[in-house]
Each structure stands twice: as C-alpha cells, then as structure tokens.
Amino acid sequence: MVLAMAGKLISSSIVLATLLPLFCGILLAPSCVVATLDTAPATLLQVKSGFTDPNGVLSSWSPEADVCLWHGVTCLTGKGIVTGLNLSGYGLTGTISPAIAGLVSIESIDLSSNSLTGAIPLELGTLQSLTMLLLHSNFLTGAIPPELGGLKNLKALRIGNNRLHGGIPPELGNCSELETIGLAYCQLIGTIPHQIGNLKKLQQLALDNNTLTGGLPEQLAGCANLRVLSVADNKLDGIIPSSIGSLSSLQSLNLANNMFSGVIPPEIGDLSSLTYLNLLGNRLSGGIPEELNRLSQLQVLDLSKNNLSGEISAISASQLKNLKYLVLSENLLEGTIPEGLCNGNGNSSLENLFLAGNNLGGGMDALLSCTSLQSIDVSNNSLTCEIPPAIDQLSGLVNLALHNNSFTGVLPPQIGNLSNLEVLSLYHNGLTGGIPPEIGRLQRLKLLFLYENEMTGVIPDEVTDCTSLEEVDFFGNHFHGPIPERIGNLKNLAVLQLRQNDLSGPIPASLGECRRLQALALADNRLYGELPESFGRLAELSVVTLYNNSLEGPLPESLFELKNLTVINFSHNRFTGAVVPLLGSSSLAVLALTNNSFSGVIPAAVARSRGMVRLQLAGNRLAGAIPAELGDLTELKILDLSNNNFYGDIPPELSNCSRLTHLNLDGNSLTGAVPPWLGGLRSLGELDLSSNAFTGGIPVELGDCSGLLKLSLSDNRLSGSIPPEIGKLTSLNVLNLQKNGFTGAIPPELRRCNKLYELRLSENSLEGPIPPELGQLPELQVILDLSQNKLSGEIPASLGNLVKLERLNLSSNHLHGQIPSSLLQLTSLHLLNLSDNLLSGGIPGALSTFPAASFAGNVELCGAPLSSCGAARRLPRAEVSIIVAAIAVISAAVCVALLYIMLRMWSNWRAVASVSSSDGEETASSAAAAAAHGKGGKWCAGEGKYWKVGSVSVASSAAEEKYSSASSETSVLHGKPAEAASGAVNPTSKC
C-alpha cells in the first residue's frame, strides 16, 4: 500500500516537473523555486531512467534518500535546492531526458566523457540559472539547439567531441555572459556566425576539427577579451584579417590546416601576449614578416606546410627570447641557415628547430650557437659540407635529423659526446668512412639511421654497447665483415635493417637474444652458413628477409615456434629440406622461397594463413600435386610455383582465389587441359603455364581476363586454333604461344591487343597468310616471331608500321613474293630473319646491312648481302634449253675442227720425217741457214698452219663468251687448243 502510494506520488511529481518550466516561464511565479524542493528528486529519477548505468554510480538515487546526498548532485547549502549535476566520466549510456529542464535552479550540468547518444534536448534553453553546460566527449547527434541562445547567464558551453551536425546557431551571440565556447571535433558545417563578435566577455573559442567554410569574420575583433582562438582543421579560406591584431589579450592563435591564403599579416606582431601561433597547413605565401620578432612572449611558432618564400633571417631566436619551438618545415624557404638565428650569448631559449623540406643550402655550422637545442630537423633540404666536429657543443641534443641532404665526409667521432642523443637520422646523404667506435657511448640512443650513404668498413662491436637501441638501419652502404658477434646485447632492438651491404660470415647465434625483434632484414649480402637454432627464440618476429645470400642447410625446427611471422623471404639462397618449419604462424602474408633447393611436397598447412597474399616457391625441388587446400587462400594475389617438379592437373579449387594477379606454374610436368575457370580470375595480370605437358585447346574463357598483361602457354602440347577471343585482351603486353601444335590461321582479332610489345607464335602449324592487321599493333617492340609454321602468301606491307619493332622472325614458312619496301621504315630493327621461304626479287637496299643468313634459303631472292641481281639472275627454263642446245652444237663443231687439224698435223709430220730420214744433214744445214737469214721456208708455212689452229681456238672462245653460263665442258674445250698449240711450238723452237 505504501509502495503504491509512493509510486503515485513519484508519477505525479514527474508530470509536475515536466510542466513546471512552462508555467514558470509564463507566470514568473516566485513559488517556482520553492517547487523545486519537491520536484527535483522526481526530475532526477526521470533523468536517471534515460541512462544505462553499468558501474552503478547512480545506485544512491532513491526516493528514500536525501536528494542532496545523491551521487553527483550538488545543492545550495542549507536550502536543499539542486544547483549542480556532475556525472562526468562514469561510462553512462542512453539519452538525456528532456525532463532535465525541470531542474530550474540548476547552475551547472556536466555529463561529459560518457557514451550518451541522441540529441541535445532543446528544453535546456529554459534553464535561466545555468552558467555551465558540459556535454562534450559523448556520441550526441543532431543539431545544436538554437534555444541555447536563451541562456543569458551561461558562461561555459562545451559540447564538442560529439557527432553534432548542421551549423553554429547565430543565437549563441545572445549569450552575453559566455566566456568559453567549445564546439570542436564535431561535424559542423557552414560559416562562423559574425554574431560571435557580440560576446564581449568571450575568452575561449574552440571550433577546430569541423567542416566550417568561409573566412574569419571581422567582427571577431569585438571579442576584446579573447585569449584562445582555435579554428584548426576546417575548410576556412580567404585572407587572415589584419583586424586580428587588435585582439590584444590573445595568447593562443591556431588557424592550422585550413585554406587561408595571402601573406601573414604583420599586425600579428601586435599581439604582445601571444605565446602560441600555429598557421601550419595553409596556402600562405610571401616572406616571414619581421614584425613577428616583437612577440616577446611567444613560445611556439609553427608556419610549416605553406608556400612561404625568402630567407629565414627574418626570424631571430635571440629576440624571441621565450621561443622554444620554431617550425618552418615544408615551405619554399631558401638561402642558408642564418648565423644570427641564435647569437650564442645565452639569450635564446630555442629548444626545437624544424626546417625540413625547404630549399636551404650551405652547412649547419650556424646552429652550433643555439646551445639550448634539443631537437634539430633540417632534413629534406640541399645542405652540404661535413657534419661539424664541434657538434658536441650542442650537449643537450636529443634528436638530430639531417637525412635527405648532401652532407659529405665522415661521421665525426665527437658524435659520441652527445650523451642525451636518442635519435640520429643521417640517411640518404653522401657520408663516407666508417662508423666511429665512439658511437658506443650513446647509451640513450634509440634510433640509428645511416642508410643510403657511401659508408664503408666493418660495423664496430661498440654499436652493441648502445643498449637502448630500438631501430638500426644501415641499408645500402658498403659495410663489410661480419655482423657483430655481440648483437644479442641489444635487448630492446625491434628493427635491424642491414640489407644491401657486403656483410659476410654466419648469422650470429646471439641474435636470438634480441627477444623484442620484430623486423629483420639481412638480404643482399654475402652471408653464409646455416640459420642458428636460436632464431626460434625471436617470439615477436614478424618480418624476416634473408634473400640473395649464400645461406644453406635445412631450416632449424625451432622456427616453427615463431607464431607472429607475417613476411618471410628466403629467396635466392641454398636452403634444403622441407619448408614445414616456416609454417608455425597462421598469419603469413608473404612466403617467398624462390631459387633454393627445398624438397618434398607443399604442406597443406600453408593454407592455415588465410590472409596470405604472396606464395612464391619457384625454382626449388618441390614435387607432387599442387594441393587443393591452396584454394582456401582467397586473399592470394601472387602464386608462383614455377620450375619445380609438380605434376597432375591444376586443382579446380584455385578458382576460389579470385584476387590472383600472377599465376606462374611454368617449368613443371603438369598435365590435362588448361582449365576454362581461369577466365573467371578477372584480376589476373600474368598467366604463365609454359613448359608443361598441357593438352587440348586454349579455352575461349581466357578472353574474359580483361586485365591480363602476360599470357604464356608456350612449350606444351596444345592444339586446335588460336581463339579469336584472345583479341578481347586489350591490355595484353606479352603473348607467347610458341612450341605447341596450333593449327589454322592467325586470328586478325589480335589487332585489338594494341598494347602488345611481344608476340611469339613460332614452332606451330599455323597456316594461311599473315594477317595485315598485325601492322596495327603500334607498341610491338621486343619481337614478332611467326617462324617455323606453314604460313603462306606475301609479307604484308602493313608490317612496316611497326616502327618500334626490334626483332622480326618470319623464317621457315611458305611466304612468297617480294620483300615489301615498307620494312625500310623499321628503323629500330636489329634482328631480321626471313630465311627458308619462297621469297623472290631484290632485297630492299637498307636491309642489306643484315647478314646473308637473314635471307638464306630463298632461291629466287637476290641483292646484297646475297649475289647481285644482274649476275645471279635466274633465267627461264626455255632460255636455258636454247643456251644448252647452242653450246652443244658449237662444242661438236669445235671437236670436228680439232680432229681435222690434228689429222693434217699428223700428215705433215710424216712428210717431214720422211725427208729427214733420206737427207738428214742437208736438211739440217738448210734449216740452220734459213734460221740464220731469217727466212721461214716451209717452217713458216707450217707455222702459218699452226696459227690457223690458233684462229680456230680464238673463234671458239668468242662463241663461248657470248653465253657466260657455259658448262664446265667448255673449259675442257678451252684447254685442248692450247695444248695443241703448245705441242706445235716445240718443233718450231728448234728452228
């Protein structure tokens, strides 16, 4: 009964609490305040009903207890009037009940740092006593109620870090008592209302991290008491108004990450109370105004990420005596670092100097006078000279970033005197020499970046004395010798990058003591030996790259304990045995073991790493069937199993790997048909199935792989015709179908593959003409190889359009006709093979620079480098027959004439012999007398007869010269008259 009555009482009180603000507003009755004594508990209980209280902080809120003793409730002392509600940071969820407006005497509401949702109740605008409304850091949505503009006594409005949207209500300009407005980190849009300028007492205005547009209203100059103005991370634009210089009380001005343009107004130099000025990330231009040196209270000056130009000399840290941070990075500043930046007399407080990403030149000696410096970042400039040995004058230096410059010389040993140094970043310079052993003194050093220099020598053991080191990067130098044996001393080491040096020797076993190591890169060195068993202790190791070394032996079984591995690259070493030790992690994204001597099968455990994107096992001795479990790797992009001993079909489960971009299975013993489901791999960029034993045809579905760049099916047993659907592969760069049994014609649709730069169709049984459409492949450059087919017809003149082509091979076909002169346009051609065809006619002149072998086997082809077309002209058969007949007739006539002459000679010789035998002495004396008197007598007649024989020979020769292609028998006939003449001279010489 009592509980029922209490319930009715609470219910009635709640109704009254809801209606009370309305009546109070109308009647303005004094009894309203009195009414809160009775209605406050009911109102608060209704507010509580909208909350979810996971931590039970509202458990004390009950009708039986005094409301002033409720947790988070504050009352006016001695009067029991609720004036405050503070439930900040209690993990409350739910919504803010409109019933909260029943707390008509409340002055302070703080529900910040919870997880409240829903809208801000517009009823809050009726709480005329409210001076502080803190609802920030929740998940409130909706617009800011304009009704809040009716809170005449409100001093602090902080409702930022919510999901509020819409604009800033101009009505807030009516809250004349406002001192703080916090609307940052919401989703507000629109402009900054100029009515904000009416708030004469405003001290803090925080509107950062919204999407506000427009400019800074000039009326803000009316906020004479403004101390903090923060509008960073919006989309404000226009110029920074010069009127901002009239805000004489301003201590902090943050306009960062907007789109303000123009110059920095020199009037900012009038803000004598300013301690913080941040203009980074805008589009400001011009020089740095010297008036900024008047800001004697300034501690932080950030002008980075603008388009400021000129020199830094406008800023003097010796005048800005309180300046601790000077940030001018990523501008267009030039010149050198000014000598007067710090005068070295102790007047400068500059601790942090950031000048990165400008066009500064010269050296860094001017900084040695800034003795208070703790951080220097002059990276990404054009600084030169050497790192000064006097660098140790900056004894308080903690961070030194000189990377991406052109520093030369050696790393001075004095660097070891900077005992506070934690970061030393010198990468991408021109430093030479070795690492000074003195570096071992840097006990606080955490980051040591020396990569991409020209440093030499061994890595000193003293580096291992820097026991605070967390990251070491020596990539891309010329360090040689072993990895320090005591590397295990670096217990805090998380990253060790020694790639691309000349390091040699084994990997030290002590490396296993670097238990915090997460990334290890020792690739591109000359390391050898086996992996130490201690590797298995690197429990946090995530990335390990050892490729391009001479490491060998089986992998230690302890590697299986590395459960956090995500990237493994052991390619190009001499590892043997099974790959199982690398499969202890189920988080592998990359497993690259190319070119080793791993053996056995691919374990099904590989598929446990469902997030794997690269699996590269090429160039090993792996065997067996490709496991179907690889189809579970649905994130896989690169699968390279080439040059192993795999056999069997391609498992259909691989069709699940829909994100594959590279599928390389070449150089195995795979059989079966090329699966049509490959056409469903729409992301595929490279498909290489060459050097296997695939049979059947090319599936037309491959034409659906629209992103394919390389298709190689060479050296298989494929047959059938080349499907015209290949022409749909308009992104294709390489098409290699050589060494198969393809038949039919070359599809003219290949012309649509207009990005091809390599086309190989050789060693098939293709027939028909070469499609003229191949001349429409403007990017064809590496080779066009159609050799060893059965192609016929003429060489298309359109091939002369392939002006980028370097190699053209059309040999061993049945091509006929002349070589088209259009091939002279192929000025990039350095290999041409047209041999073993039926080509005829002359070789175009400019092609004569190619060797004769390029044209061999074309019987009717002539011209350089072959025999000339005039001397080597091939006569028609009819003409050849006539010439042969004429030669035969003339040869017979010559033979008859010779026979007649020889008979006459024989007859004369017998007559002479007869005279000689009857009267030899007389004859001899007569002959001698005749010779002495120069008379020929008979001998002369006989001599004349011999000349007749000679005339017959000459006539015969004249007849033979007419036909230059006489047979070898003619040369025999040539010789016989000569022999006869030679034989006749002997008797004459005796005369």
Side-chain angles (χ1 to χ4, degrees):
M1 185 70 152
V2 175
L3 292 175
M5 292 178 64
K8 290 180 180 179
L9 178 61
I10 292 172
S11 178
S12 300
S13 299
I14 290 173
V15 172
L16 180 61
T18 305
L19 297 175
L20 187 60
L22 178 61
F23 292 138
C24 288
I26 295 174
L27 303 176
L28 300 176
S31 61
C32 289
V33 174
V34 179
T36 60
L37 295 173
D38 299 325
T39 62
T43 301
L44 288 171
L45 288 174
Q46 189 169 1
V47 171
K48 176 184 176 181
S49 68
F51 296 153
T52 299
D53 179 17
N55 299 317
V57 294
L58 304 181
S59 59
S60 61
W61 288 25
S62 69
E64 291 79 15
D66 183 355
V67 68
C68 295
L69 299 178
W70 290 6
H71 188 85
V73 176
T74 303
C75 294
L76 188 64
T77 305
K79 296 186 178 182
I81 299 174
V82 176
T83 58
L85 178 62
N86 185 354
L87 299 177
S88 176
Y90 289 135
L92 301 175
T93 60
T95 60
I96 303 173
S97 172
I100 199 170
L103 303 174
V104 294
S105 298
I106 200 160
E107 299 175 0
S108 170
I109 297 176
D110 187 355
L111 302 178
S112 63
S113 303
N114 284 290
S115 299
L116 301 175
T117 56
I120 298 175
L122 55 87
E123 290 81 0
L124 287 173
T126 64
L127 298 177
Q128 294 301 311
S129 298
L130 198 63
T131 61
M132 185 173 68
L133 179 59
L134 308 181
L135 305 179
H136 60 88
S137 303
N138 280 286
F139 299 102
L140 300 174
T141 55
I144 299 173
E147 288 79 2
L148 296 184
L151 301 175
K152 304 298 183 180
N153 293 305
L154 194 65
K155 294 183 178 181
L157 175 63
R158 296 183 60 195
I159 56 177
N161 196 17
N162 279 289
R163 296 174 179 175
L164 303 174
H165 54 77
I168 299 173
E171 290 81 357
L172 292 183
N174 299 327
C175 301
S176 56
E177 298 297 316
L178 264 178
E179 298 176 358
T180 299
I181 297 179
L183 305 179
Y185 292 93
C186 288
Q187 300 167 15
L188 303 176
I189 58 174
T191 60
I192 300 173
H194 63 83
Q195 291 84 349
I196 299 293
N198 299 334
L199 304 176
K200 307 300 181 183
K201 297 182 179 181
L202 192 64
Q203 297 181 22
Q204 297 185 39
L205 178 60
L207 306 177
D208 38 306
N209 285 91
N210 283 286
T211 316
L212 300 174
T213 54
L216 280 179
E218 293 276 356
Q219 291 81 351
L220 284 182
C223 303
N225 292 304
L226 197 63
R227 291 185 298 171
V228 176
L229 173 58
S230 181
V231 294
D233 297 289
N234 281 284
K235 294 185 177 180
L236 300 172
D237 54 17
I239 63 170
I240 300 173
S242 57
S243 59
I244 207 166
S246 63
L247 299 173
S248 57
S249 299
L250 203 62
Q251 297 176 8
S252 176
L253 176 60
N254 188 354
L255 309 182
N257 295 322
N258 281 285
M259 296 183 287
F260 291 114
S261 56
V263 300
I264 299 173
E267 289 81 2
I268 289 181
D270 298 333
L271 302 175
S272 57
S273 299
L274 203 63
T275 61
Y276 180 88
L277 176 58
N278 190 346
L279 305 180
L280 82 86
N282 283 283
R283 300 173 181 175
L284 300 172
S285 56
I288 300 172
E290 293 185 357
E291 288 81 358
L292 297 186
N293 288 315
R294 301 205 301 262
L295 302 174
S296 58
Q297 302 300 315
L298 198 63
Q299 297 179 21
V300 176
L301 174 59
D302 191 343
L303 308 179
S304 61
K305 295 184 179 180
N306 281 284
N307 298 313
L308 300 175
S309 55
E311 299 190 355
I312 302 175
S313 54
I315 293 293
S316 172
S318 58
Q319 294 185 57
L320 300 171
K321 296 180 180 180
N322 291 297
L323 191 65
K324 296 181 182 299
Y325 285 84
L326 176 58
V327 188
L328 305 177
S329 302
E330 297 184 50
N331 279 286
L332 303 175
L333 300 171
E334 54 191 9
T336 60
I337 299 173
E339 293 288 340
L341 182 64
C342 302
N343 56 19
N345 59 9
N347 290 335
S348 171
S349 299
L350 190 62
E351 295 177 353
N352 302 277
L353 176 64
F354 300 93
L355 305 178
N358 283 285
N359 299 318
L360 302 175
M364 60 171 291
D365 292 53
L367 298 180
L368 300 181
S369 59
C370 300
T371 53
S372 298
L373 277 174
Q374 297 177 10
S375 295
I376 297 176
D377 186 356
V378 293
S379 62
N380 297 293
N381 279 285
S382 300
L383 298 174
T384 56
C385 308
E386 299 184 356
I387 298 173
I391 189 73
D392 57 350
Q393 291 180 19
L394 305 177
S395 57
L397 208 57
V398 176
N399 303 301
L400 178 59
L402 308 181
H403 54 267
N404 284 333
N405 280 286
S406 298
F407 287 107
T408 56
V410 300
L411 181 60
Q414 290 84 353
I415 203 83
N417 297 331
L418 300 175
S419 58
N420 294 305
L421 201 62
E422 295 181 5
V423 175
L424 179 58
S425 181
L426 307 178
Y427 66 85
H428 204 276
N429 278 286
L431 299 176
T432 55
I435 300 173
E438 290 81 358
I439 206 166
R441 302 175 190 163
L442 304 178
Q443 297 295 304
R444 297 183 180 180
L445 193 64
K446 295 180 179 179
L447 272 63
L448 177 57
F449 292 163
L450 303 179
Y451 62 89
E452 292 179 343
N453 278 285
E454 300 294 330
M455 300 184 75
T456 56
V458 299
I459 300 174
D461 287 337
E462 287 81 358
V463 168
T464 63
D465 294 332
C466 302
T467 52
S468 297
L469 272 174
E470 296 175 2
E471 296 187 35
V472 172
D473 195 337
F474 295 167
F475 163 81
N477 281 282
H478 305 289
F479 295 120
H480 62 266
I483 299 171
E485 190 64 36
R486 295 188 295 124
I487 193 75
N489 289 354
L490 304 179
K491 309 294 185 184
N492 296 303
L493 198 62
V495 176
L496 178 59
Q497 168 64 274
L498 303 180
R499 183 184 152 222
Q500 211 171 100
N501 280 282
D502 295 313
L503 300 174
S504 57
I507 297 175
S510 70
L511 188 62
E513 301 304 317
C514 301
R515 304 294 178 88
R516 297 185 180 179
L517 197 63
Q518 298 175 21
L520 174 63
L522 305 180
D524 294 313
N525 280 287
R526 293 185 290 122
L527 301 173
Y528 55 81
E530 299 185 0
L531 289 186
E533 190 73 26
S534 59
F535 246 55
R537 302 175 194 160
L538 303 176
E540 296 185 22
L541 193 63
S542 175
V543 177
V544 54
T545 60
L546 306 178
Y547 58 89
N548 288 341
N549 280 288
S550 298
L551 299 168
E552 60 189 4
L555 300 175
E557 295 292 333
S558 61
L559 295 185
F560 195 81
E561 302 302 319
L562 304 181
K563 306 299 183 182
N564 292 308
L565 282 173
T566 59
V567 175
I568 300 174
N569 193 339
F570 288 3
S571 298
H572 305 286
N573 279 284
R574 301 171 186 172
F575 290 117
T576 58
V579 300
V580 174
L582 298 176
L583 304 180
S585 170
S586 59
S587 303
L588 286 175
V590 175
L591 179 59
L593 307 177
T594 301
N595 287 344
N596 280 280
S597 296
F598 290 111
S599 57
V601 299
I602 299 177
V606 169
R608 291 195 307 119
S609 295
R610 299 300 174 88
M612 188 177 292
V613 294
R614 283 173 51 195
L615 178 59
Q616 296 170 289
L617 306 178
N620 282 284
R621 299 175 183 175
L622 299 171
I626 298 174
E629 288 82 358
L630 295 187
D632 295 335
L633 303 177
T634 55
E635 301 296 318
L636 201 61
K637 294 184 178 181
I638 298 176
L639 177 59
D640 189 353
L641 307 180
S642 59
N643 297 309
N644 280 285
N645 299 312
F646 296 117
Y647 54 78
D649 294 351
I650 300 176
E653 289 80 3
L654 287 183
S655 62
N656 298 327
C657 303
S658 58
R659 298 190 179 186
L660 272 176
T661 60
H662 296 73
L663 179 57
N664 302 78
L665 304 178
D666 51 296
N668 284 286
S669 301
L670 299 172
T671 54
V674 177
W677 54 257
L678 288 172
L681 303 180
R682 302 302 172 86
S683 299
L684 206 58
E686 179 180 4
L687 176 60
D688 194 343
L689 306 181
S690 59
S691 300
N692 279 286
F694 290 111
T695 54
I698 299 176
V700 296
E701 290 83 357
L702 284 185
D704 296 330
C705 298
S706 57
L708 205 60
L709 301 176
K710 176 182 178 181
L711 174 59
S712 181
L713 305 177
S714 64
D715 198 9
N716 277 286
R717 301 172 186 172
L718 300 174
S719 57
S721 60
I722 300 173
E725 286 79 3
I726 297 296
K728 293 162 61 177
L729 304 176
T730 54
S731 298
L732 203 61
N733 295 153
V734 177
L735 177 59
N736 188 350
L737 305 180
Q738 66 186 15
K739 295 185 179 180
N740 278 288
F742 293 119
T743 56
I746 298 174
E749 287 81 1
L750 290 182
R751 73 179 181 277
R752 296 168 58 190
C753 304
N754 55 13
K755 294 182 181 179
L756 271 177
Y757 65 80
E758 181 176 341
L759 177 56
R760 299 175 187 266
L761 304 179
S762 62
E763 298 184 56
N764 282 287
S765 297
L766 298 171
E767 52 194 11
I770 298 174
E773 290 83 356
L774 294 187
Q776 299 175 27
L777 300 174
E779 300 302 318
L780 206 57
Q781 177 178 347
V782 176
I783 192 170
L784 171 58
D785 191 352
L786 308 180
S787 63
Q788 299 186 52
N789 280 287
K790 300 177 181 179
L791 300 172
S792 56
E794 298 185 348
I795 299 175
S798 62
L799 295 188
N801 298 329
L802 307 177
V803 294
K804 295 181 180 180
L805 195 62
E806 298 176 354
R807 293 184 289 174
L808 175 60
N809 191 349
L810 306 179
S811 64
S812 300
N813 280 288
H814 304 310
L815 302 174
H816 61 77
Q818 295 187 342
I819 299 174
S821 58
S822 61
L823 295 190
L824 300 179
Q825 298 169 207
L826 305 181
T827 54
S828 298
L829 205 64
H830 60 76
L831 187 149
L832 175 65
N833 194 347
L834 305 179
S835 64
D836 297 316
N837 278 287
L838 303 174
L839 300 173
S840 60
I843 298 173
L847 300 181
S848 63
T849 56
F850 291 100
S854 297
F855 309 100
N858 291 282
V859 181
E860 299 183 4
L861 203 59
C862 62
L866 303 180
S867 57
S868 85
C869 292
R873 185 172 65 90
R874 189 175 182 87
L875 298 175
R877 291 184 178 181
E879 292 187 20
V880 172
S881 300
I882 295 172
I883 292 172
V884 171
I887 292 173
V889 171
I890 294 173
S891 298
V894 170
C895 290
V896 171
L898 288 175
L899 183 59
Y900 172 75
I901 292 170
M902 292 177 67
L903 290 174
R904 291 291 303 271
M905 289 172 60
W906 174 256
S907 177
N908 291 336
W909 181 79
R910 290 292 299 273
V912 172
S914 175
V915 172
S916 176
S917 61
S918 59
D919 193 5
E921 293 180 2
E922 182 182 353
T923 303
S925 61
S926 300
H933 289 86
K935 296 180 180 180
K938 282 182 188 177
W939 299 109
C940 288
E943 197 170 349
K945 290 175 184 176
Y946 283 112
W947 281 114
K948 287 179 182 178
V949 173
S951 67
V952 173
S953 177
V954 171
S956 175
S957 297
E960 291 166 14
E961 287 178 2
K962 185 176 180 181
Y963 304 101
S964 59
S965 58
S967 67
S968 59
E969 294 178 357
T970 307
S971 65
V972 175
L973 293 176
H974 272 280
K976 286 183 178 179
E979 290 172 3
S982 178
V985 168
N986 287 333
T988 307
S989 63
K990 293 179 182 179
C991 293

